[in-house]
Structure formats: C-alpha cells, structure tokens
Amino acid sequence: MAPAALSPTAQASSHSPQDIKTKAQQQTSRQRFVDTWTIIRNELLDAFKAQGVPPEAVEWYKSSLDYNVPGGKLNRGLSVVDSVEIFKGRPLTDDEYLKAAILGWGVELAYFLVTDDLMDGSITRRGQPCWYRVPKVGNIAVNDGGMLKSCIFVLVKNHFKREPYYVDLLELYQDMAYITETGQLVDLITAPEDNVDLSKFSLNHYKTIVTFKTAFYSFYLPVALAMTMCRMPVRVEQTTPYQIALDILIPLGEYFQIQDDFLDFAGTPEQIGKIGTDIVDNKCSWCVNTTLAVASPAQRAVLNANYGRKDAACEARVKAVFEEVGLREKYEAYEREAYEQLSAMIDEVPEVESVDGGAVLRKEAFRAFLEKVYKRSK
C-alpha cells in the first residue's frame, strides 16, 4: 500500500541564474522546467512498470517521486538549463531544452535529502513532513532514497547513451554523489545532535563539510553538466575549463552556505520562511565556529553550557555571545570580501570554444550565479 498522500507544498518562485531576465521571464522559465517533470516522471514509471512489479509497488514509487522531487525551489535544476543557454548564446531548441531539463532533474533527484532527514531526525522539508515521517514510510525511506539515485542513471542512459559524452555524465553524477556522501559523514560524526562537543568544531572542519556537502553538488555539478552537454574541452592550451569552473563555484558555494548559516541566526521567520534551528540542533555552522575562534574563556564557557540544548533560554544565551563578538560585523566584512574576490575571478574567465564550435564558456554564467546569491535575504 502506498503511503498516505500528502501533496508537495509549492515554494515561492526564485530567481533563475540569468539575472538579466525580467520577473515574468523568470516565472515562465521556471514553469517550463516544471512542466517537463510530468514527462520525466511518466518515463520513470513506465520503465519501473516494465519490470513486472506489482501495482502497489508502482503506486509507492509514484508517491515517492512526486513527494520528494518537484516541491523545492529548483534552483539547481534551472541552473543546468540556464547555463546551457548561456554557453550556446541562443534560445535552445525543444530537443536541447528537454535534454538540459533531464540533466537538471537529475540534480533535483536529491536522494540524499531523504536519508539525511532520517539520520538527522528532521521534522519538515520544503514545508511538509519529511518523507520518513509520512505514515507507513519510516525506514523504507532508506530504500526510496536509493531508488531516487537510480533514477538519474535510468534517465541518462535513455537519453544520452549514444552521445560521445555519455560516460562523462555518468562519472559527474557518481563523483558528486561520492563527494556529497563524504561530506555527510564528516558532518554526522562532527556534530551529532545528541552529543554536544564543541572541541570538535573549527572553521577548517566547517569548510570541509560545506565544500563536500553543498558546494560540489549544488554549485559545481549544474554548471559542469551544462559544460559537458555543450562539449567544453577538457583542456585548451594551458586552460582547463572545468578547473576554472571549480575554482569559482566551490568558494561561491561556501559563500552561499555561510550566508545561509548567518540568516539562520539573524533572519526572521517571515524573512527566511522558517525558524532558525542551527543553535538548538548543534549544527557545525559558520556562526558558532567564527565565534569560537575569537571567544574569551568566559564566552566559551557560555557556549559549552548552552549550545545544542533544546531550550529557548539556552539559545538566547548563545545568541547573546554571537552579538558580543560582533558576528554581524564579521559577516558583513566576509560577504564584502567574498564578493570582491569572486567578481575578480569571474572577470578573468577566458572565452573557450566547445569541441564542435557550438558553444562558448562565458563568464556570464558565473556572474549570474554570484548576483543571484549576493545580498540575498532568504
């Protein structure tokens, strides 16, 4: 029997990576991408049914797909499509768009979020109960996460097997999965929710977690997929296009996560759409690590006694220490420096022509990412 039906809560439309688009164009771009989900979902269901599985398994699989995949902001998936369009320098044909959308949905099939919620004991995801908390799901979510991951390879095989870059796509998805899972491991053993030990925290540890869990999958992977589809060369003279992308997008992903951590502390629920819980959940966040690096012995004692406690008074004491060390000013300085450094790096991006001459590595793709993130408030 399938789990109880709980429809995904639609998220507010977010800016696409092409900042030059009008709001109406952004909404149209997002809707076009959303519309491809039905095609892709039905293709996955047809492949599943073809194995001769019982109807109740098909219904469960359908529920898992619809519940876990299309309800988010879709920034990662849209980034694939928009990056392909930027590199090609023209509107995509219907066939090109569908292929780019398939790669984008491959990123949105973020299977590790399903298991991450289970391991963290999270309550909600995207405004609805986490999948494992849906009636009758429970630990079956582990297998459902594995099936979501397998969907990526079914889609890539169906649509790209005859392309010369087929294996490159497979390796990209698999490499990013391995890296993300590594980051999850480091995060889980550094900051278990039920065992607070701030001696394990450090900015270096934080950087490792953020780079592996967020930057590679959410920032580098979408652009690398677009570059691969557009046949960007592995090397041109002394230039390595994929290394250029990596050098920009990994620190950009780190900036995004630091921004997210700061908003968890400083943003209001009305502003960010949720109540910040990093302090009470014992998260190895930028805020606590930055504070630990400059805290006095007395302030460190307050953090040791109150961080990671499910208590509003304890949370307030931690926030007071954050204010005492000037965390807001430190964040403003960090954001200003990060933006200036990334802008300078983007300005130096060379234009590299694709193998077949049909696309060019353009700095606009990276600039659009940066402008979308800079000074965001939610």
Side-chain angles (χ1 to χ4, degrees):
M1 183 178 294
L6 288 172
S7 60
T9 301
Q11 302 296 315
S13 180
S14 59
H15 295 295
S16 79
Q18 285 181 272
D19 210 49
I20 58 174
K21 292 181 178 179
T22 65
K23 185 175 182 180
Q25 287 174 320
Q26 291 165 2
Q27 292 171 340
T28 301
S29 175
R30 188 182 192 280
Q31 188 57 53
R32 186 183 183 190
F33 182 72
V34 169
D35 289 344
T36 63
W37 170 244
T38 301
I39 299 170
I40 292 166
R41 189 273 312 273
N42 289 343
E43 179 180 324
L44 290 168
L45 286 173
D46 288 343
F48 191 67
K49 292 175 187 176
Q51 299 180 85
V53 296
E56 56 267 31
V58 175
E59 187 58 32
W60 184 287
Y61 185 53
K62 179 178 180 293
S63 297
S64 174
L65 287 169
D66 283 336
Y67 195 92
N68 291 303
V69 183
K73 296 177 182 177
L74 306 181
N75 285 338
R76 289 171 295 200
L78 282 165
S79 295
V80 179
V81 176
D82 290 341
S83 296
V84 170
E85 192 169 54
I86 290 173
F87 294 147
K88 288 189 175 290
R90 58 169 174 77
L92 303 181
T93 66
D94 289 344
D95 181 64
E96 288 171 335
Y97 186 90
L98 180 59
K99 283 190 171 184
I102 287 165
L103 295 179
W105 282 111
V107 185
E108 290 296 333
L109 282 158
Y111 55 90
F112 52 83
L113 297 180
V114 173
T115 52
D116 185 36
D117 287 340
L118 177 59
M119 287 182 280
D120 288 349
S122 299
I123 304 301
T124 61
R125 166 78 63 179
R126 297 169 176 170
Q128 60 184 357
C130 295
W131 177 241
Y132 80 94
R133 297 185 69 245
V134 172
K136 300 181 182 178
V137 176
N139 289 338
I140 298 176
V142 176
N143 190 66
D144 291 334
M147 293 188 70
L148 290 175
K149 181 178 182 179
S150 296
C151 290
I152 297 171
F153 302 104
V154 171
L155 292 170
V156 173
K157 181 178 180 179
N158 285 352
H159 294 271
F160 296 93
K161 188 174 183 179
R162 290 179 174 81
E163 298 291 351
Y165 52 87
Y166 172 57
V167 173
D168 297 324
L169 292 176
L170 294 178
E171 288 185 346
L172 257 177
Y173 280 117
Q174 188 55 53
D175 289 349
M176 294 305 102
Y178 183 54
I179 287 171
T180 304
E181 289 155 3
T182 300
Q184 172 71 348
L185 173 63
V186 177
D187 190 15
L188 287 169
I189 63 178
T190 299
E193 193 171 340
D194 59 348
N195 183 20
V196 181
D197 183 358
L198 297 185
S199 68
K200 293 183 177 181
F201 286 18
S202 71
L203 284 169
N204 284 337
H205 232 66
Y206 172 78
K207 184 180 179 69
T208 299
I209 294 169
V210 167
T211 299
F212 280 69
K213 275 192 70 173
T214 301
F216 274 101
Y217 196 92
S218 296
F219 285 81
Y220 175 69
L221 176 58
V223 176
L225 289 169
M227 291 171 65
T228 302
M229 179 177 164
C230 290
R231 305 294 307 282
M232 294 297 171
V234 174
R235 178 172 291 278
V236 178
E237 296 178 353
Q238 299 303 312
T239 299
T240 307
Y242 290 88
Q243 188 62 50
I244 291 170
L246 199 66
D247 290 344
I248 293 170
L249 294 168
I250 295 306
L252 180 55
E254 181 182 358
Y255 165 37
F256 175 89
Q257 187 59 56
I258 289 173
Q259 191 179 56
D260 209 52
D261 290 354
F262 180 74
L263 289 172
D264 186 273
F265 155 63
T268 64
E270 294 76 22
Q271 176 187 357
I272 64 176
K274 63 179 182 179
I275 298 173
T277 61
D278 283 358
I279 293 173
V280 298
D281 289 344
N282 189 37
K283 294 295 184 181
C284 184
S285 79
W286 179 84
C287 296
V288 69
N289 280 295
T290 299
T291 301
L292 286 168
V294 297
S296 67
Q299 290 168 330
R300 177 66 183 246
V302 173
L303 295 176
N304 286 335
N306 294 278
Y307 198 78
R309 270 64 177 183
K310 308 289 187 184
D311 182 276
C314 291
E315 182 182 23
R317 294 184 193 107
V318 171
K319 287 186 174 182
V321 175
F322 287 178
E323 299 287 6
E324 289 169 12
V325 302
L327 191 64
R328 294 175 189 272
E329 293 75 18
K330 292 182 186 301
Y331 173 75
E332 289 175 4
Y334 164 79
E335 182 171 50
R336 182 169 56 251
E337 182 180 353
Y339 181 80
E340 291 172 355
Q341 290 179 346
L342 287 164
S343 292
M345 293 172 69
I346 292 169
D347 287 341
E348 297 299 318
V349 172
E351 290 201 342
V352 179
E353 191 173 275
S354 65
V355 171
D356 58 6
V360 176
L361 180 68
R362 304 175 195 274
K363 64 183 66 178
E364 288 85 355
F366 305 104
R367 176 67 61 187
F369 256 105
L370 178 59
E371 295 304 329
K372 184 181 75 169
V373 172
Y374 182 56
K375 295 285 186 180
R376 73 184 176 97
S377 58
K378 60 180 180 180

